[in-house]
Amino acid sequence: MSPDLHAEARRQIEICNACRYCEGYCAVFPALMRQTVFADGDITQLANLCHNCRGCYYACQYTPPHEFALNLPGILAEVRQDSWERLAWPAPLARRFHESGVALAGALIVGIALIFLALTALRPASGEGFYAYLSHGAMVAIFAPAFLMPLAAIGVALGRYWREVGGGALRLRHLRAALGDAARLRNLGGGQGQGCNFEIEDRFSDRRRRAHQALVLGFLLCFGATSAGTVMHYLMDWPAPYPLLSLPKLLGVPGGMLMVAGAAGLVHLKLRAERELGSARVWGGEIGFILLLGIVAATGLALMAFGGAVWLALHLGAVLSFFLLMPYSKMVHGFYRLAALAADARAREARGSADAAD
Amino acid sequence: MARPDDLDGPWDVVVVGGGNAALCAAITAAEAGARVLILESAPKAMRGGNSRHTRNFRCMHRAPMSVLTDAYGEDEYLDDLMLVTRGKTDEALARMTIRESEDCLPWMEAHGVRFQPSLSGTLSLGRTNAFFLGGGKALVNAYYNTAEDLGVRVAYQAEVTHVGIEAGRFSHVVARIGATERRIEGRAAVLASGGFQADLDWLTRAWGPAAANFLIRGTPYNRGVVLRDMIEQGCETVGDPTQCHAVAIDGRAPKYDGGIVTRLDCVPFSVVVNREARRFYDEGEDVWPKRYAIWGRLVAGQPGQVAYAVIDAKARELFMPSVFPPEQADTVATLGERLGLDGAALAQTVAEFNAACRPGRFHPTEKDGLATDGLTPPKTNWARPLDTPPFYGYQLRPGVTFTYLGLKVSDRAQVQTPQGPLENVWAAGEIMAGSILGEGYLAGFGMTIGTVFGRIAGREAAAHVA
Ligand SMILES: Cc1cc2nc3c(=O)[nH]c(=O)nc-3n(C[C@H](O)[C@H](O)[C@H](O)COP(=O)(O)OP(=O)(O)OC[C@H]3O[C@@H](n4cnc5c(N)ncnc54)[C@H](O)[C@@H]3O)c2cc1C
Ligand code: HEM
Ligand code: SF4
Ligand code: SF4
C-alpha cells in the first residue's frame, strides 16, 4: 500500500462526503456516500471506479488555490495507477512500462526484432500468403503462450485486487451490469449523457467517450477477425490468405480502421487535456500505449494491403509486444475497471437489500 | 486578467460582479443585443462569489417540472417566506419574485444549467428546490460559457471602487484592474456585487467586536465596496444594517470560503457547552433544518464566540459526516481537555445532563419528546444520556452567510433614490435581497432572487440602451 497516496485520497474523499454536490456525475459518489470510514481497500476500489471524467474537478469550489486543494480526479488517478503497478505480477516490470513511452517503444522494437529473427530462422519451405514467411505452426508456438501467459498474470493481479477491495461473491448479473456500464462508458457520460470535461476544460464534450468506443469496437472486431481465422483454419480447414469478402477481412478491415481512428482521436484529445488532473507521472506511458494500439492496427492494415515480409514482421512484432505488455501497461485498465464496476454492482445490490430490510 | 486596452468599449451595459445575478443579467442583456462587460473582482479560479457555493434554488411550479416533484404554488411559497421573515418582506415584490421563479427553471436549462434530483440527505427539499448537477460552481461555469459564446467580455481581478453618477445618470465606473485604476464608460449599469459580509471592519462596526471572531462562509470578495459607494451617493437602502445571517459551523473552518462542508448537523444529538463548559440553550428545540440558523447567533453570544458540541458513540452515524474529524476520547473529562476546556467541569455538566434524562422512545428524524427533567436550560427532544464511549467533540463558531442591508429597488430592479429611481442603474442579487428577505432565510431563495432580478435587470438595461 502507499500510505501517502491513500492518506491524501482519504482526506479529499472525506471532504466530498461532507459536500456531495457531485453526486450526480458518476458511480464514485454514491459509492463513497455508502460509507463513513474509508479503509485502504475502499479507496483502491473508488479509484478504479473513477473514469477520470473530471466533472468533479471543474465543478468543485475547493480546487486550488482554495486551501482544501481538491483534485479528486488527480488523486484517484494516482491511487489507481499505483494499484495497477503494485498488484501486477511480477510487480517490478510494471512501473517501468506504465511510466515510460520510451520503454514501450523499446519493447516494440524488441518484439519486431524477435519476429524478424523467427522469420529468418524458421522460414518454411512452402506456404501461401504470410504463411510463406512464417509457418502456421511457428506462429501458434509463439503467440499462444505470448497471449495466455499475460492473461494468467492479469488473472493473478485481479485476484489480488478482489481481495484488497473485499469484492465478495460475484454473480453473473454483476458482471453483466459491469459490461453494460463499460460498453456505454456510463461514467464518462457526466451523469446525463453530456460527456466529460477532458479537452475543453469546464465545457462538456462526448468526444473522448466516442473515440474510446471506436477504439474498443475496432479492437473487438480485430479480435473477432483473428478468432474467425482460427475457426476457419482448424474447423473448416481453410487457411489464410482470405478473400476480401470473408469474415476475417470483413471484420478486420473496419476494425483496424476504427482502431486507428480511435487511437488518433485519443491522442489528439490527450494533447489538449490538463495533465495534473490525471496521473502526470505516467503521461508518457499512456501516450505510448495509445500509439502502440494505433501501430498494431495500422501495420495490420498495411499488411493486408501490401503483404510482404517487412509488414508481416512489423505487425506481428507489434502484436507480440502488445500481448506481452498487457499486464504491465495501461491495457490492464480494462480488466481492473470491469472488476471495479462488478464490485460496485454487487455493493449497490447489497445496499439495496439492506435498505429494504430496515 | 484582461489587457487594459481590451476594455475600452464602448459598452452598453457594465455589469458589476461575477456571481449568479451578474451572469443572468449579462446573458439576458447580451441576448437582447447589448455589448456587455462583466467586471469581477475575483481571479478566474475564484470567480462566482457566493453563488459558487450554492446547491439549489427554490422554484414555484404548478405541476411536476424537470426534477421537481408534485406542485409548489405561489401561496404556499409565500407562506414559507412569511414564516422565516416573520413578515419582514415586501409582499408585492415577493409575490412577483415567486411567480417569476417558475419561468427561471426552463431558462436556466436553456442556458446550460443542469439539474439533478435532490441530494441524498435533503429529500425534504425535493418538491420545492431544484438542485444543480455539480453544485453552484457548475452553474457558474455554464453561465460563463454561455456569456462568452454571446460575446460578453469578462474582466477578472477587476474591482469596481466607484460608480460614477452624474445628474441622476450613470456614466462610468472606476475599477482597479491589477495594479491600475481605470475609468470605464457605459450607457447602463447592473450592480450585482453581493453583500458586505467579507469586510470584517464593517461587520465589527455593525455588530460589535464579537464579529472579529466570525467566520465568513462564502467569498472573501464581497466587501460591499459598491454598496457603500451607492449609499454614500444617496441611494435608498432596505434591511437591518446591523444584522447578518449566521449559522453555527465547524470552528476549524477557514476564515473565508469554507462553504457547505463546514456545516455541522450534530447539535440536536449533542450536549452543547460554552467555553466555561456550561450549557446555554435547548439543543433539542426543533429539527435541525428549522433551528440551525439561530445557533449562529447563540454561539455569537457566548464568551469568545465559541461553543462545543459533545456526543457519544450512539450518535455518531445520525448526521452528515463532518469535514474535519472530531476530537475523540474514552472519557468525557479527557475529551474536555482535548477540546481545550476544563475537563472536570465538562464531566460535571454531562453528569448533570445524564441524570436529567428519562427513558423513552428515541426517534432521530422527528421531534420525539424525549426531554430532560428538571434541567435548566432543558433539552426538549432527543435527550439521551452520553454514556457510550468513545465520546466525540466538535468546536462551533458563527459562520456568516450574508448581510441584510441592501439597495432599495423597484419591481423593475431599478435602484432608488429619494428623488426617484436612477434612470440607468439596476441592481440584482444579494445587493438588493434585503427588499424581500428582511430577516431569516429560506433555503434556495438567494439564487431565486438573483436569477429573477438578474434577468429583469438585464432585460431593462438592454431595453434602455437599445
Ligand atoms: C455556503 C453557502 C451556501 C449557500 N447555498 C445556497 C443555496 O443552496 N441556495 C441559495 O439559493 N442560496 C444559497 N446561498 C446564498 C447565495 O449564495 C446567495 O444568495 C447568492 O449567491 C447571491 O448571488 P449574487 O450574484 O447576488 O452574489 P455573489 O454570487 O456573491 O456574487 C457577487 C459577485 O460580485 C463580485 N464583487 C464583489 N464586490 C465587487 C466589486 N467591488 N467589483 C467587482 N466585483 C465585485 C464578487 O467577486 C462576486 O463575483 C448560500 C450561501 C453560502 C455562503
Ligand atoms: C473493458 C472495459 C474498458 C473500460 C471500462 C475502459 C475505460 C476507460 C476509461 C474510463 C478511460 C479513461 C480514463 C483513463 O485514461 O484511465 C480509458 C482510457 C483508455 N482506454 Fe479503455 N476501457 C476499457 C477497455 C479498453 C480496451 C479494450 C482498449 C483497447 C484495446 C482500451 C483503450 C484505452 C486507451 C488507449 C485509453 C487511453 C486514453 C488516454 O490516455 O487518453 N480500453 N478506458
Ligand atoms: S469534488 Fe468538490 S464539489 Fe464535488 S463533492 Fe467533492 S468537495 Fe464537493
Ligand atoms: S473524475 Fe468523473 S468519474 Fe472520477 S470521481 Fe470525478 S466525476 Fe466521478
Side-chain angles (χ1 to χ4, degrees), chain A residues 93-213:
Chain A
L93 272 181
R95 196 174 169 93
R96 194 78 232 114
F97 290 119
H98 269 295
E99 272 187 6
S100 161
V102 177
L104 284 180
L108 175 62
I109 291 165
V110 171
I112 293 170
L114 283 176
I115 297 292
F116 263 116
L117 239 132
L119 286 184
T120 40
L122 306 174
R123 175 137 199 185
S126 65
E128 253 189 274
F130 44 73
Y131 295 139
Y133 303 105
L134 191 61
S135 75
H136 184 260
M139 234 184 263
V140 171
I142 296 172
F143 280 94
F147 182 57
L148 294 176
M149 275 162 41
L151 278 187
I154 290 174
V156 172
L158 284 184
R160 292 174 173 176
Y161 177 78
W162 204 253
R163 273 192 301 282
E164 178 166 321
V165 307
L170 195 65
R171 299 272 171 280
L172 199 60
R173 59 177 182 279
H174 305 137
L175 214 53
R176 252 202 319 269
L179 283 169
D181 287 344
R184 280 173 290 144
L185 282 185
R186 197 167 54 86
N187 292 304
L188 265 190
Q192 300 185 352
Q194 74 274 35
C196 63
N197 294 110
F198 193 58
E199 73 280 6
I200 34 177
E201 301 189 344
D202 57 22
R203 289 176 189 255
F204 290 92
S205 143
D206 221 9
R207 267 172 271 174
R208 191 174 199 213
R209 182 154 66 148
R210 296 288 166 251
H212 189 283
Q213 282 171 328

Side-chain angles (χ1 to χ4, degrees), chain A residues 11 14-25 33 35-37 57-68 190-194 201-204, chain B residues 44-47 52-55 114-116 118-120 132-138 141 145 148-149 254 257-261 263 317 320-324:
Chain A
R11 181 188 75 83
E14 280 170 357
I15 294 176
C16 291
N17 204 15
C19 168
R20 305 184 170 189
Y21 281 12
C22 293
E23 150 178 332
Y25 280 130
M33 283 153 38
Q35 293 165 288
T36 46
V37 183
Y57 179 83
Y58 290 105
C60 184
Q61 61 275 28
Y62 300 122
T63 50
H66 195 285
E67 64 182 87
F68 287 170
Q192 300 185 352
Q194 74 274 35
E201 301 189 344
D202 57 22
R203 289 176 189 255
F204 290 92
Chain B
K44 185 173 179 192
M46 302 304 264
R47 70 185 181 187
R52 64 204 284 282
H53 285 290
T54 63
R55 53 184 184 174
R114 291 175 178 275
F115 291 97
Q116 63 172 43
S118 106
L119 296 176
S120 54
F132 317 133
L133 179 68
K137 184 161 171 211
N141 289 344
N145 287 329
E148 190 182 294
D149 293 345
D257 248 344
I260 194 79
V261 299
R263 76 170 164 328
E317 305 277 311
M320 282 274 285
S322 60
V323 65
F324 304 111

Side-chain angles (χ1 to χ4, degrees), chain A residues 307-357:
Chain A
V310 172
W311 285 118
L312 180 67
L314 291 178
H315 181 59
L316 291 187
V319 173
L320 182 66
S321 20
F322 170 73
F323 279 168
L324 290 175
L325 286 174
M326 277 201 303
Y328 316 113
S329 67
K330 174 97 186 205
M331 192 58 211
V332 291
H333 79 281
F335 297 93
Y336 278 97
R337 286 216 149 85
L338 271 182
L341 289 167
D344 190 55
R346 188 178 172 279
R348 276 200 312 263
E349 192 180 275
R351 171 62 187 209
S353 50
D355 283 349

Side-chain angles (χ1 to χ4, degrees), chain B residues 120-134:
Chain B
S120 54
T122 58
L123 292 180
S124 56
L125 293 172
R127 180 171 66 91
T128 53
N129 290 43
F131 283 71
F132 317 133
L133 179 68

Side-chain angles (χ1 to χ4, degrees), chain B residues 194-212:
Chain B
F196 69 84
Q197 66 279 3
D199 182 344
L200 286 180
D201 293 337
W202 190 344
L203 216 55
T204 310
R205 282 196 301 279
W207 178 292

